[in-house]
Amino acid sequence: MKDRQDENCRGGGDIHSDLFERIISLDNLFAAWKEFRRGKTGKRDVQAFEWKLEDSIFALHEDLKRGTYCHGTYESFYVCDPKRRHIHKPSVRDRLLHHAVVRVIEPSFDGRFIFDVWSCRKGKGTHRAVARFQKLAWSISRNDTRAVWVLKLDIQKFFESVDQNILLGILTKTITDDRVMGLLTDVIRRFPSGIPLGNLTSQLFANIYLNELDQFVKHELRAQFYVRYCDDFVLLHENRDALSAMLPRIRDFLAGHLALALHPQKITLTLYHRGVDFLGFVCFPHFRLLRTKTKLRMLRRVSTKNVILYAGLVRQARANGLRRALEFDFFPFEI
């Protein structure tokens, strides 16, 4: 039986013809609200919307049904996480619509993604992506008996570089309902260029957009060992020259088909046993370490409210001293 890294579901044909009705249905809008409000009940704009919840949702439903819905403008602000990021936040009404859209269309698109896409998908995430990367490396090394080469790549300014026309063209291949495409076009075009950081729809659009790259890597380059988390991805091989030959083809595909570029300062081709910096960890054949920047960021932010979360992160790496320090500072007992 082939290993699961070879699994892929390109899919085909159209997403269900009742898609628009499912998106705008009151059941879906109220279910989307329950998902959206989690962790946000203390926000004033969320409280204001919830004050007249039924009226607000029924009004949104009617606007969508009549075709009079129009996506609003974005609130712009910056966060440091850890680097400075420009975030654009739409209104509560628009974010509710985003959740309603994603709830309905994401399952159909998710079935078309390859297995080794680990960002913004249920049951996946950064820790499991790192574990998968190390599992693949161990497989190639045949229980640490031969060298493993790793090509690590990053797309430069991905979210702001997404071409909206290309994205809409990709969506149109699957969604043929003009009403749904009109809704998605409104969501996408409302932002000046690219796709905004912080939007739930942007997370899905990112995976849909980069699925083109995933399919190219798996089916054109026939790369057996490949892991992607958002715009960070790695390819593994026992042969250095094989990975070197893939690099220009990936660069050309990104430029020619997706109008994207690799970050020139984040291209590395190295032996696994020398350590590979991936998703906040430096990975080695038998262990992993927390990246120095990750540790410093954690120490700046740790508090009684999040220490359990950070202790879980520390457990993913060889960092016993840091874990003991967290336990000593915040708890008289073991976490």
Side-chain angles (χ1 to χ4, degrees):
M1 182 181 295
K2 291 186 177 181
D3 198 75
R4 293 194 71 187
Q5 72 266 19
D6 286 331
E7 293 181 11
N8 67 88
C9 297
R10 287 190 179 187
D14 304 334
I15 288 180
H16 311 290
S17 59
D18 64 341
L19 190 65
F20 185 76
E21 286 74 17
R22 290 165 56 201
I23 290 172
I24 73 168
S25 72
L26 289 171
D27 285 345
N28 186 51
L29 291 174
F30 276 102
W33 174 256
K34 289 182 180 179
E35 293 178 0
F36 167 75
R37 72 187 294 275
R38 291 174 191 157
K40 304 182 184 73
T41 52
K43 304 291 185 180
R44 289 185 179 180
D45 54 352
V46 175
Q47 292 173 348
F49 191 91
E50 196 164 32
W51 182 255
K52 295 184 177 180
L53 181 61
E54 290 191 1
D55 291 342
S56 299
I57 290 183
F58 273 91
L60 175 59
H61 170 74
E62 286 300 316
D63 283 347
L64 291 165
K65 185 177 179 180
R66 295 171 182 170
T68 56
Y69 169 81
C70 184
H71 196 287
T73 57
Y74 286 82
E75 175 189 352
S76 173
F77 57 95
Y78 289 90
V79 298
C80 294
D81 186 32
K83 63 183 180 182
R84 195 165 184 255
R85 297 181 184 275
H86 196 184
I87 304 298
H88 295 84
K89 184 176 74 171
S91 69
V92 170
R93 173 181 163 98
D94 292 329
R95 280 182 282 162
L96 170 58
L97 185 276
H98 293 182
H99 275 257
V101 168
V102 170
R103 287 189 82 252
V104 173
I105 72 172
E106 182 178 37
S108 295
F109 276 104
D110 190 81
R112 298 157 190 260
F113 299 153
I114 67 170
F115 176 77
D116 278 311
V117 173
W118 294 85
S119 53
C120 308
R121 299 176 73 187
K122 292 180 181 178
K124 303 220 171 183
T126 54
H127 294 165
R128 292 184 179 181
V130 173
R132 173 65 169 172
F133 164 70
Q134 293 194 289
K135 179 181 179 181
L136 294 180
W138 184 256
S139 174
I140 297 170
S141 73
R142 294 183 181 174
N143 299 334
D144 206 21
T145 61
R146 64 181 181 182
V148 179
W149 288 91
V150 180
L151 175 62
K152 182 176 178 293
L153 303 171
D154 181 286
I155 297 173
Q156 189 170 31
K157 298 181 179 179
F158 170 66
F159 282 88
E160 63 187 79
S161 299
V162 168
D163 186 298
Q164 293 182 355
N165 291 328
I166 295 174
L167 174 58
L168 288 168
I170 293 170
L171 290 168
T172 304
K173 293 177 185 177
T174 299
I175 301 174
T176 58
D177 187 320
D178 290 340
R179 297 170 300 173
V180 177
M181 281 308 305
L183 189 59
L184 295 180
T185 300
D186 186 27
V187 171
I188 292 168
R189 294 293 194 199
R190 188 60 53 175
F191 197 65
S193 63
I195 52 178
L197 278 170
N199 280 11
L200 185 65
T201 47
S202 294
Q203 296 174 9
L204 177 58
F205 291 154
N207 275 339
I208 292 172
Y209 201 78
L210 289 178
N211 180 54
E212 303 292 306
L213 169 65
D214 301 333
Q215 300 296 341
F216 172 75
V217 169
K218 297 298 288 185
H219 300 286
E220 298 297 327
L221 297 185
R222 298 189 179 278
Q224 188 177 6
F225 302 100
Y226 167 77
V227 177
R228 180 174 67 77
Y229 186 94
C230 196
D231 57 340
D232 291 327
F233 54 103
V234 290
L235 296 96
L236 304 89
H237 204 282
E238 63 190 65
N239 188 299
R240 184 184 191 279
D241 291 340
L243 292 177
S244 295
M246 292 180 189
L247 177 57
R249 295 185 65 187
I250 291 172
R251 183 186 284 115
D252 290 346
F253 178 85
L254 286 171
H257 292 264
L258 297 176
L260 298 174
L262 293 174
H263 196 301
Q265 297 178 345
K266 295 183 179 180
I267 300 172
T268 60
L269 178 56
T270 187
L271 284 165
Y272 179 43
H273 73 262
R274 293 178 180 171
V276 175
D277 189 336
F278 187 49
L279 302 180
F281 296 91
V282 181
C283 301
F284 294 88
H286 301 286
F287 62 94
R288 70 185 76 142
L289 303 173
L290 280 174
R291 183 191 294 163
T292 300
K293 290 182 179 179
T294 304
K295 288 190 288 187
L296 293 176
R297 183 169 73 251
M298 180 181 66
L299 291 171
R300 286 197 304 268
R301 296 180 177 181
V302 67
S303 68
T304 54
K305 293 181 179 180
N306 60 24
V307 66
I308 296 293
L309 176 64
Y310 282 129
L313 174 64
V314 170
R315 282 194 178 99
Q316 302 294 321
R318 181 180 287 181
N320 291 334
L322 181 58
R323 180 172 178 268
R324 286 194 294 269
L326 291 176
E327 293 173 355
F328 179 80
D329 288 343
F330 288 94
F331 293 96
F333 51 85
E334 184 176 355
I335 297 175

